[in-house]
Amino acid sequence: MEVHIPPKKKFMARFSRHEPIVMDHSAIIQAKKCKRKYFYRIVLGFVEKVTPQYFGFGSCYHKFRETLERQWAATPEADRKNMDARMAMFEVALKDARDLWKRKKMRDLPEGTSKWDFLTEGRLLKSCAVAFKHWIREKDAGRINVLAVEQSFIVPLPDGGLVAGKADQIVMQNGRVWGRDFKTSSKTQDMYYARTLDPNDQFTRYTWAESILAGLDTTKGQFIQGQIIEVLFNAKSTKKE
């Protein structure tokens, strides 16, 4: 990764710099929210040693969906409707999610010690099982064709700069190209994502980038349709068992 070399370091000069020349979504949104936090986290590389529970849970779910799609692509078309083959795909994807949970050193939090203590490994496995049923229904309906999975990109911006990122999926739905982004959330409000669009421009930026990847001429106003946001919802139960 190429990084900026500061001409002169004044503030906290004894620390090395890691500011990337090509910015990704995490870096950009951090800078938009708080320049000082951007400096500490992105430029100096000061990050938490422990992965927050909601980040780890989301990453493992993303890994499940990624592996599931790659397994589908690697399976001969004649075998894709076979239930044994489908369950084999599920098992491989589930193993990858569990392995990532272990690599990230995730653990179940004792009940009552955190707002996120309900995001356990068991909840992850149940969530993946629910998502698998949804995925099977989508495949059987045949209206969505996945063109790319975890697609990395570095594309030019109108001002001559570059922006980087990784799209969860690029799909074809009813003959039209869309980006698709997977989210995990405990929020139930219908307008939750609408309220987070400023200063977060991820969906706009990804639509721009994926339009270029699709070979469209953005200078002539040619763009993909936009972003399909698929949310996996989990909430803490208030029931006493």
Side-chain angles (χ1 to χ4, degrees):
M1 180 182 71
E2 294 183 287
V3 298
H4 285 289
I5 306 299
K8 188 175 183 179
K9 293 191 293 185
K10 294 183 179 179
F11 181 62
M12 301 182 74
R14 65 191 179 93
F15 295 103
S16 60
R17 267 54 172 169
H18 311 279
E19 184 177 19
I21 291 177
V22 180
M23 304 277 276
D24 63 9
H25 168 67
S26 298
I28 292 173
I29 193 61
Q30 197 69 257
K32 287 188 173 187
K33 286 182 176 179
C34 177
K35 291 293 179 63
R36 183 173 288 270
K37 194 172 182 180
Y38 169 82
F39 177 76
Y40 289 145
R41 291 179 62 88
I42 306 300
V43 179
L44 298 187
F46 292 168
V47 296
E48 296 177 89
K49 293 183 179 179
V50 178
T51 303
Q53 200 75 1
Y54 52 91
F55 277 160
F57 190 94
S59 295
C60 293
Y61 175 67
H62 273 72
K63 173 54 71 174
F64 172 78
R65 292 301 299 260
E66 176 192 352
T67 301
L68 202 57
E69 207 59 58
R70 294 192 188 282
Q71 287 291 305
W72 178 268
T75 301
E77 188 171 354
D79 297 334
R80 289 175 178 173
K81 289 188 176 294
N82 182 282
M83 185 51 65
D84 288 339
R86 291 180 171 188
M87 290 307 300
M89 297 180 209
F90 173 72
E91 293 296 337
V92 173
L94 199 64
K95 181 179 184 303
D96 278 2
R98 297 186 73 176
D99 287 348
L100 183 59
W101 180 273
K102 294 175 183 176
R103 288 201 303 274
K104 286 183 171 292
K105 296 182 170 54
M106 301 298 297
R107 60 186 179 84
D108 291 357
L109 302 178
E111 186 176 356
T113 61
S114 168
K115 177 182 178 181
W116 310 106
D117 59 17
F118 66 96
L119 295 179
T120 62
E121 184 178 7
R123 176 65 73 94
L124 172 66
L125 302 184
K126 290 180 180 179
S127 297
C128 290
V130 171
F132 176 69
K133 293 178 181 179
H134 167 77
W135 180 79
I136 286 295
R137 290 194 296 270
E138 177 183 294
K139 292 302 185 188
D140 287 342
R143 290 190 296 270
I144 295 179
N145 180 32
V146 178
L147 305 177
V149 177
E150 292 296 313
Q151 178 63 58
S152 298
F153 62 80
I154 300 177
V155 299
L157 295 172
D159 63 2
L162 296 173
V163 66
K166 182 180 286 188
D168 290 347
Q169 289 185 354
I170 299 175
V171 304
M172 179 83 75
Q173 182 179 37
N174 297 328
R176 298 179 182 273
V177 178
W178 297 75
R180 179 154 66 172
D181 196 72
F182 299 118
K183 301 292 186 185
T184 54
S185 178
S186 62
K187 305 288 185 181
T188 59
Q189 298 94 330
D190 291 340
M191 297 304 293
Y192 170 68
Y193 287 113
R195 292 198 303 273
T196 63
L197 291 178
D198 186 10
N200 189 339
D201 65 343
Q202 178 191 7
F203 301 152
T204 303
R205 194 159 11 90
Y206 274 45
T207 297
W208 171 275
E210 290 158 4
S211 298
I212 293 175
L213 294 180
L216 301 178
D217 189 346
T218 55
T219 64
K220 296 181 179 179
Q222 298 176 4
F223 296 97
I224 65 169
Q225 298 303 299
Q227 300 297 310
I228 298 171
I229 312 304
E230 186 178 310
V231 183
L232 171 70
F233 171 75
N234 274 286
K236 192 169 186 175
S237 175
T238 58
K239 294 181 181 179
K240 297 295 183 182
E241 296 183 358

